[in-house]
Amino acid sequence: MSNKILLEISNFCETCSSHENCPEEECVLYRIEKIILKGEKDEK
């Protein structure tokens, strides 16, 4: 499930109008991605 979410985030980010100047900390999708990746790392 998490891989599917990360793929959706990645696909959206590629077409985002702010892609070149991404305000990462202000982006909800960026923060969700970090939470998912941290959770996966903690599981290992």
Side-chain angles (χ1 to χ4, degrees), residues 9-24 27 30:
I9 291 171
S10 178
N11 289 339
F12 178 82
C13 289
E14 287 179 8
T15 61
C16 178
S17 61
S18 298
H19 179 72
E20 296 297 320
N21 298 312
C22 182
E24 294 174 340
C27 179
Y30 177 81

Side-chain angles (χ1 to χ4, degrees), residues 1-43:
M1 179 67 163
S2 62
N3 286 337
K4 188 173 182 178
I5 294 169
L6 292 172
L7 181 60
E8 287 294 324
I9 291 171
S10 178
N11 289 339
F12 178 82
C13 289
E14 287 179 8
T15 61
C16 178
S17 61
S18 298
H19 179 72
E20 296 297 320
N21 298 312
C22 182
E24 294 174 340
E25 285 73 32
E26 296 174 19
C27 179
V28 172
L29 294 178
Y30 177 81
R31 295 193 311 254
I32 291 171
E33 178 183 31
K34 291 300 173 193
I35 291 168
I36 291 171
L37 293 175
K38 183 180 183 311
E40 287 181 350
K41 182 180 175 185
D42 290 346
E43 287 178 0

